[in-house]
Amino acid sequence: MAVRKILKIGNPILRQTSEDVTETEIQTKEFKKLIRDMFETMRHADGVGLAAPQIGVLKKLVVVGQDDDNGRYPGTPEVPNQIILNPEITPLAPPGDGFWEGCLSVPGMRGYVERPNKIRMKWRDENFEEHDEVIEGYRAIVLQHECDHLFGVLYVDRLKSTKLFGFNEDIDTAGKLLD
């Protein structure tokens, strides 16, 4: 396993659309190593999720996982370890639940983003088995954030207001007052 370099905002790869993962691909040693490397990279960076484009791989692959004591997002619930291939998300609620999001590709910063807190997600797992699940709350927010990367979208593109964006040490994430 290896910790991979995480691309930062400004790198053009982060703005590209990823390709679907094929059933043949998932059976290769290289793909299995990629998944292991992604989990190791995510944990090394104290992240909750990581999308393949963030390490320069334009494939529809996301890994997520967080213990309930994550230092970057205190007070958030556990997110189970999961491998997500070729996800399709359908919102089941209007955007409205806001969260101060951060991103390993936008280090040291946070921004207030409103997203649907209830989604339906279809995806394939590491065995290429299909899944279809209704997901709510914090986990739904995390999955939307990570899956956005597969389509060249960063959370900064979804900010509620640019006034609700800044460096971790300077922004007041206790409130969301505009002025």
Side-chain angles (χ1 to χ4, degrees):
M1 293 193 294
V3 172
R4 305 260 190 122
K5 178 183 176 190
I6 297 172
L7 304 181
K8 293 182 179 65
I9 191 169
N11 187 304
I13 291 173
L14 292 172
R15 295 309 192 158
Q16 295 181 36
T17 298
S18 297
E19 297 176 1
D20 283 345
V21 174
T22 66
E23 189 169 7
T24 305
E25 268 180 292
I26 67 165
Q27 298 167 12
T28 66
K29 288 180 187 175
E30 293 81 14
F31 195 80
K32 291 174 185 189
K33 182 181 183 320
L34 172 62
I35 290 172
R36 290 191 306 271
D37 288 355
M38 286 181 67
F39 271 113
E40 186 168 338
T41 301
M42 177 186 75
R43 289 186 184 109
H44 181 264
D46 201 20
V48 178
L50 185 70
Q54 291 180 273
I55 58 166
V57 178
L58 287 170
K59 287 292 183 175
K60 291 182 182 170
L61 164 63
V62 166
V63 299
V64 295
Q66 168 188 295
D67 297 330
D68 59 4
D69 62 349
N70 180 282
R72 286 183 67 222
Y73 297 101
T76 55
E78 183 176 340
V79 174
N81 285 340
Q82 192 171 24
I83 298 163
I84 298 160
L85 309 174
N86 307 334
E88 296 175 23
I89 293 177
T90 304
L92 298 178
D97 272 9
F99 188 77
W100 286 95
E101 295 187 20
C103 181
L104 299 176
S105 291
V106 188
M109 302 190 87
R110 292 285 165 107
Y112 193 79
V113 178
E114 291 183 352
R115 297 184 187 265
N117 72 349
K118 185 176 183 180
I119 60 172
R120 178 179 186 180
M121 190 168 88
K122 296 179 183 180
W123 77 97
R124 292 188 179 269
D125 65 20
E126 66 275 18
N127 300 313
F128 221 65
E129 293 179 17
E130 289 186 44
H131 297 266
D132 185 341
E133 183 180 350
V134 172
I135 302 165
E136 297 184 64
Y138 177 66
R139 186 170 160 234
I141 303 296
V142 168
L143 291 170
Q144 288 172 85
H145 173 109
E146 295 307 330
C147 291
D148 269 355
H149 283 292
L150 305 178
F151 301 94
V153 177
L154 299 173
Y155 84 92
V156 296
D157 302 324
R158 299 191 184 277
L159 291 173
K160 171 77 173 167
S161 165
T162 55
K163 294 178 182 180
L164 298 173
F165 176 68
F167 288 97
N168 292 341
E169 64 269 12
D170 295 323
I171 194 95
D172 176 15
T173 58
K176 58 178 181 178
L177 298 176
L178 294 174
D179 277 328

